[in-house]
Amino acid sequence: MNSSKTKTQWSGYWFTLPAALMLGALVVYPLLYGFYISLFDTNLLFRWNFVGLRYYLEVFTNAEFLGKILLTLKFTFFTVAGHFIVGMILALLLNQKFPGRVFFRAVLIVPWLFPEVVVGLLWKWMLNPMYGLFNQFLQDLGLIAGPVSWLGNQETAFISVVIAAIWKGFPLVMILLLAGLQAIPDELYEAGQIDGASRQQIFRFITLPSLRSVLMVTLILDTVWWFKHFTIIWILTQGGPVNATSVVSIDIFKTAFEYFRFGQAAALAVVVFFVCFLIGYVYRRKLGEDDD
């Protein structure tokens, strides 16, 4: 009896071993190696001067870096909020029955299918002050008198990057929320209508509570993804003008590959990892209390 039980336990360990090895090689090892690098002043070749936790102390006493963390949080907030507003509206519309619904579902997911490099180049072309479609469209409507350098102006660069990020990311939120809406039983809506509930009351007391688990998972994934986003911002502005869009991922890239301070860049990346972990923990505590 005991021998059979032990054999079954070992079988379970052997089945999970490949997944554990892959997790260790692809996730745990890079994290530990990144932390190891952060303890050195190094160029990754012949200079490995041990500095301990000096870079971490510098991070938390560096007002410029803390300002970039706040800028990143601001970028993440507006981007994620845009995703949820646009995604929720479109998910509610696509959950209705109307002719051509399948076509619109296919078309609206197109931005998410494009690689981020393509999205960045597409928006950079549309926002170009010389030949961009955006300026031409606004001039035709009489909203602007002349071409505007949307990405070259401190006052418009940030919102331009946020709009491009919203355009890229809203389809994923839309699809996840639409899947959640389709899983809500019709009996709940019928019961609400029998009780005389208005559309707003049905949305507030039936739809939103039923979507709670989907909203939480989507919110965590979307927030963490865009907090550490790099590609679109780099292609559009490279962090400029005058650091107007210099989020923390841009700062880490420049520190590592322009200034060759790999240890300092690794320390910044470790801090970003813990910020992302903290975001997920806070969301889980605030939105997933009933599941604990």
Side-chain angles (χ1 to χ4, degrees):
M1 182 73 178
N2 290 334
S3 175
S4 176
K5 184 177 180 181
T6 303
K7 187 176 180 180
T8 302
Q9 287 179 336
W10 275 106
S11 298
Y13 293 142
W14 282 113
F15 276 115
T16 56
L17 182 60
L21 291 175
M22 290 293 291
L23 185 66
L26 299 178
V27 178
V28 178
Y29 173 73
L31 288 175
L32 293 178
Y33 188 62
F35 176 73
Y36 173 76
I37 292 175
S38 70
L39 303 177
F40 292 87
D41 175 14
T42 176
N43 58 4
L44 299 182
L45 293 175
F46 47 82
R47 190 182 75 239
W48 288 86
N49 299 324
F50 183 74
V51 295
L53 300 177
R54 190 184 82 187
Y55 289 138
Y56 292 96
L57 296 176
E58 291 178 357
V59 165
F60 292 107
T61 56
N62 186 341
E64 183 180 358
F65 178 75
L66 296 178
K68 289 179 180 177
I69 287 285
L70 292 177
L71 179 66
T72 308
L73 289 172
K74 181 181 174 183
F75 166 77
T76 306
F77 172 79
F78 284 111
T79 302
V80 172
H83 288 166
F84 273 79
I85 293 172
V86 178
M88 177 64 84
I89 292 173
L90 292 176
L92 291 171
L93 291 174
L94 293 176
N95 196 41
Q96 307 299 316
K97 294 180 180 179
F98 59 88
R101 182 174 64 168
V102 175
F103 171 77
F104 285 105
R105 285 181 178 178
V107 169
L108 289 172
I109 203 175
V110 167
W112 185 64
L113 299 178
F114 283 135
E116 291 175 350
V117 173
V118 175
V119 173
L121 292 174
L122 181 66
W123 276 90
K124 192 169 187 176
W125 172 67
M126 289 195 299
L127 296 172
N128 188 286
M130 300 297 294
Y131 50 81
L133 290 177
F134 203 63
N135 273 328
Q136 186 64 47
F137 178 71
L138 294 180
Q139 282 182 284
D140 291 342
L141 293 177
L143 297 177
I144 57 176
V148 176
S149 179
W150 300 98
L151 299 175
N153 190 319
Q154 290 187 61
E155 297 177 352
T156 56
F158 180 81
I159 188 63
S160 300
V161 170
V162 168
I163 290 173
I166 291 174
W167 187 83
K168 166 62 180 172
F170 84 83
L172 178 62
V173 175
M174 179 191 73
I175 290 297
L176 292 174
L177 295 182
L178 180 60
L181 288 172
Q182 292 180 336
I184 301 174
D186 292 336
E187 290 79 4
L188 292 178
Y189 291 115
E190 292 171 0
Q193 291 171 348
I194 291 173
D195 290 341
S198 63
R199 285 184 173 228
Q200 292 78 8
Q201 289 173 323
I202 288 176
F203 180 76
R204 179 180 177 184
F205 296 110
I206 296 178
T207 303
L208 282 182
S210 300
L211 287 175
R212 184 173 184 174
S213 58
V214 177
L215 287 170
M216 185 184 68
V217 172
T218 307
L219 189 59
I220 292 174
L221 293 176
D222 205 42
T223 302
V224 171
W225 178 262
W226 289 98
F227 183 84
K228 57 185 180 57
H229 187 73
F230 171 80
T231 309
I232 293 177
I233 303 173
W234 179 258
I235 292 175
L236 289 178
T237 63
Q238 297 188 356
V242 197
N243 292 331
T245 60
S246 184
V247 296
V248 68
S249 59
I250 301 290
D251 191 44
I252 292 173
F253 179 83
K254 289 182 176 178
T255 303
F257 299 105
E258 290 189 1
Y259 311 133
F260 301 106
R261 298 199 293 263
F262 292 100
Q264 188 176 2
L268 298 177
V270 171
V271 172
V272 169
F273 168 78
F274 281 104
V275 171
C276 292
F277 181 82
L278 181 63
I279 290 172
Y281 177 78
V282 170
Y283 278 160
R284 181 71 181 171
R285 295 295 300 174
K286 293 296 182 183
L287 301 178
E289 292 176 350
D290 293 342
D291 299 332
D292 294 337

